[in-house]
Amino acid sequence: MIGRVLYWRGCQRVARIARQGRDPGPLQADTLLRLVARAKDTAFGREHGFDAIRSPADFRARVPLQDYESMRPRFERARDGSADETWPGLPECFAMTSGTTGGNKYLPHTKSSIKSALDGGSDALAAYLVRAKDKRLLSGRIAFLGGSVALETFASGMEWGDNTGILAARSPAWVRPFRVPSGKVLALGNWEEKLVAAARELARADVRLLLGVPSWALLLLDAVEREADRPIRDAWPSWRGFIHGGMAFGPYAATYRKRVGDGIVYVDTYTATEGGMLAVQDRDDDPSMAVVLDRNCHYEFVPADDPEGPRIGIEDVEPEVPYLVCVSTDAGIWAYRIGDIVRFTSVRPPRLVFHGRKKFFLNAFGEHVSQEELERAVEEAAGEHRCEVREFTVLPEYPDARQSAGRHAWIVEFASPPPDLGAFARSIDLSIQRGNDDYKSHRTADQQLRPPIVRLVRKGTFYEWMKARGRLGGQNKVPRIVDPELAKGLL
């Protein structure tokens, strides 16, 4: 009966998201003004004249774009016990987010922002329930393996931890009896120890839904199969859905479908520690995601090719234009550049795909290749050559005394390799050329950019590389673009 109620509420929520998308401007303006009104008496609010803001245009005129470094002093004062810095009162805790190649960031979470993030998680669940027509979800278990739910403390006594662990620890009470692995396992801080302990419990669980990052979820499936001593679909015969995020699913799609067969509903999500659940894939026939408009997150967008250009609201975006994403939220984050680039496939309703990270464009030779284009090329090449890519990254190889033109070197770990690496590399090359005129012009006659090369590495290489860098666990992703220095541990 509870499962049927969840399904009914899921249908209502998905329909509401669709309705809101028909005219997103007024709803987003209302969201911003509510956030501003709540924070007008904070130090940030007084400094930027929040009490005089009456519209999004007023907000843009008074509040310049921010990033972690510009807001860091305020966050640190709040961490040390200074109330009312960017949001009323003190933060509830801080979420640590790992830079893909840089250092850690500590972002505030308030009681309100934690609730907003959890409510956003229910939007992804709603999309799954509707797409899978699943009215019996709670007849089984929901599997999730994120960061540790055990928090650490700063010298001030303020707590901090992994964002996924913070949200798991504060998930609704009704969810916890249906979630696996146990709280004891979720509290483990060592990723490898946690993986073994989780597999021991999950091998005996009746899992219906899996949540996680595609790359790390594959490791979990490996561990469960070893523990159960049978294929995952035999260990989890009732498994029906995978809600995933954190990275593009395309490069992993062939591996998952070959491994688990048909009957799994894959729901992509776009999340950020700074803003919670930003978009969900609510349609079977469309890989783009519907933007979540009413979870206390106000969006602004700046053209990616003009980072100093004008900020616009979601009602003014244009299709197929890459935009930098900026958010203001009930965590006390204002006009904050989260470093992501998205592309809208439609604007009424707003639907987007993740285009890449601002600092992760492959542009060593003026070719301007995005992360989205790299991932699509791998997905297409894997499908064409009937192989399975487990992990990959790309680096530039610069000209030297022997070669006057550079090239892209792809370091790839396969679950099952193609018969001809050269043909696989040619497929990647042609895929990028089809969608990127700059790259195509650089490849003309091999004068500015030679054909790419694929370098095969043994299974487990990327895992060991991430481990050596202290980057194990679901909050950490393999960077799709690396510099030659960082790549030394892979080759």
Side-chain angles (χ1 to χ4, degrees):
M1 184 175 64
I2 297 174
R4 289 180 177 273
V5 171
L6 281 178
Y7 174 73
W8 174 73
R9 295 189 65 176
C11 291
Q12 286 189 315
R13 179 58 184 164
V14 169
R16 183 177 182 182
I17 291 173
R19 287 195 305 272
Q20 291 173 344
R22 296 170 192 161
D23 188 16
L27 177 59
Q28 275 284 284
D30 180 67
T31 295
L32 177 64
L33 294 180
R34 282 190 294 102
L35 293 172
V36 165
R38 292 176 69 180
K40 65 183 177 62
D41 294 325
T42 63
F44 190 92
R46 292 193 300 271
E47 181 178 324
H48 293 88
F50 275 18
D51 58 351
I53 292 175
R54 301 289 182 268
S55 69
D58 290 345
F59 179 78
R60 290 167 202 150
R62 291 178 174 274
V63 183
L65 286 177
Q66 308 289 314
D67 56 22
Y68 184 70
E69 288 307 313
S70 67
M71 295 204 74
R72 181 175 182 171
R74 300 179 187 276
F75 294 163
E76 290 181 345
R77 286 196 291 271
R79 178 199 67 191
D80 293 337
S82 176
D84 304 329
E85 282 290 334
T86 66
W87 193 254
L90 287 172
E92 180 81 357
C93 60
F94 279 76
M96 187 274 285
T97 177
S98 299
T100 308
T101 58
N104 297 331
K105 300 176 183 179
Y106 296 89
L107 297 164
H109 251 317
T110 65
K111 290 181 179 179
S112 181
S113 69
I114 290 172
K115 181 180 185 303
S116 296
L118 292 172
D119 289 345
S122 70
D123 293 338
L125 180 61
Y128 160 72
L129 291 170
V130 172
R131 290 180 52 200
K133 297 179 174 58
D134 189 349
K135 302 175 184 178
R136 297 181 55 83
L137 173 65
L138 300 185
S139 65
R141 295 292 181 265
I142 301 171
F144 168 73
L145 190 63
S148 174
V149 298
L151 300 185
E152 301 186 48
T153 58
F154 294 111
S156 65
M158 178 70 70
E159 292 182 319
W160 67 272
D162 180 282
N163 188 54
T164 57
I166 290 170
L167 298 181
R170 289 163 171 79
S171 59
W174 70 264
V175 171
R176 295 170 196 168
F178 302 99
R179 185 180 65 195
V180 285
S182 64
K184 181 180 179 180
V185 171
L186 291 176
L188 294 174
N190 181 282
W191 170 257
E192 293 179 302
E193 181 184 354
K194 178 185 289 189
L195 191 64
V196 172
R200 195 173 298 124
E201 293 186 7
L202 290 171
R204 301 188 299 271
D206 180 21
V207 172
R208 291 189 69 93
L209 178 63
L210 174 65
L211 286 68
V213 176
S215 58
W216 297 111
L218 278 176
L219 295 176
L220 179 62
L221 299 187
D222 289 344
V224 171
E225 287 185 337
R226 287 193 297 269
E227 182 68 28
D229 195 26
R230 50 183 172 166
I232 194 65
R233 287 314 298 269
D234 291 338
W236 295 348
S238 300
W239 183 23
R240 293 195 60 190
F242 181 26
I243 298 176
H244 53 83
M247 61 200 322
F249 184 65
Y252 304 92
T255 297
Y256 273 93
R257 292 189 173 108
K258 179 177 179 180
R259 186 164 185 174
V260 305
D262 298 326
I264 298 294
V265 174
Y266 297 94
V267 179
D268 201 0
T269 63
Y270 172 40
T271 64
T273 303
E274 300 89 342
M277 185 67 63
L278 306 183
V280 296
Q281 184 187 5
D282 59 338
R283 297 178 182 173
D284 292 326
D285 59 349
D286 188 348
S288 68
M289 293 171 276
V291 179
V292 177
L293 297 165
D294 62 348
R295 295 300 190 194
N296 288 318
C297 180
H298 177 261
Y299 304 95
E300 296 176 282
F301 301 92
V302 180
D305 60 359
D306 185 16
E308 302 304 319
R311 295 145 62 185
I312 60 174
I314 199 167
E315 68 277 10
D316 293 322
V317 297
E318 298 178 6
E320 304 305 327
V321 175
Y323 289 104
L324 292 162
V325 182
C326 312
V327 298
S328 299
T329 79
D330 53 354
I333 290 173
W334 302 103
Y336 187 100
R337 292 171 287 200
I338 63 178
D340 289 347
I341 298 176
V342 300
R343 177 174 54 82
F344 286 87
T345 60
S346 76
V347 295
R348 294 291 188 279
R351 305 184 64 82
L352 59 78
V353 294
F354 181 74
H355 193 66
R357 295 284 292 173
K358 177 185 176 183
K359 61 183 178 180
F360 294 142
F361 267 64
L362 192 52
N363 193 33
F365 313 103
E367 65 275 40
H368 300 98
V369 181
S370 72
Q371 181 176 327
E372 180 189 12
E373 290 168 328
L374 298 175
E375 290 169 333
R376 183 172 59 240
V378 165
E379 181 181 1
E380 291 178 355
E384 180 180 348
H385 295 278
R386 300 178 180 274
C387 61
E388 299 173 45
V389 174
R390 188 66 181 247
E391 204 55 89
F392 79 94
T393 195
V394 189
L395 68 148
E397 288 191 353
Y398 293 98
D400 55 27
R402 294 171 297 173
Q403 295 287 347
S404 60
R407 66 180 174 185
H408 295 165
W410 292 67
I411 305 174
V412 186
E413 179 182 325
F414 292 94
S416 59
D420 186 339
L421 281 181
F424 184 84
R426 287 191 292 275
S427 294
I428 284 175
D429 185 32
L430 292 174
S431 174
I432 299 175
Q433 288 193 49
R434 284 193 295 270
N436 188 314
D437 289 338
D438 284 342
Y439 179 83
K440 184 177 181 179
S441 66
H442 278 70
R443 285 283 296 110
T444 301
D446 299 346
Q447 292 182 359
Q448 295 173 293
L449 195 61
R450 290 183 288 144
I453 184 172
V454 173
R455 303 188 188 279
L456 177 67
V457 295
R458 62 176 177 78
K459 292 181 181 178
T461 295
F462 277 90
Y463 182 90
E464 293 300 324
W465 182 64
M466 294 289 280
K467 179 180 178 180
R469 297 171 57 232
R471 290 287 190 253
L472 290 183
Q475 279 281 88
N476 303 289
K477 298 97 178 178
V478 170
R480 292 305 183 213
I481 300 167
V482 296
D483 59 44
E485 184 66 26
L486 188 61
K488 285 182 179 178
L490 285 168
L491 295 171

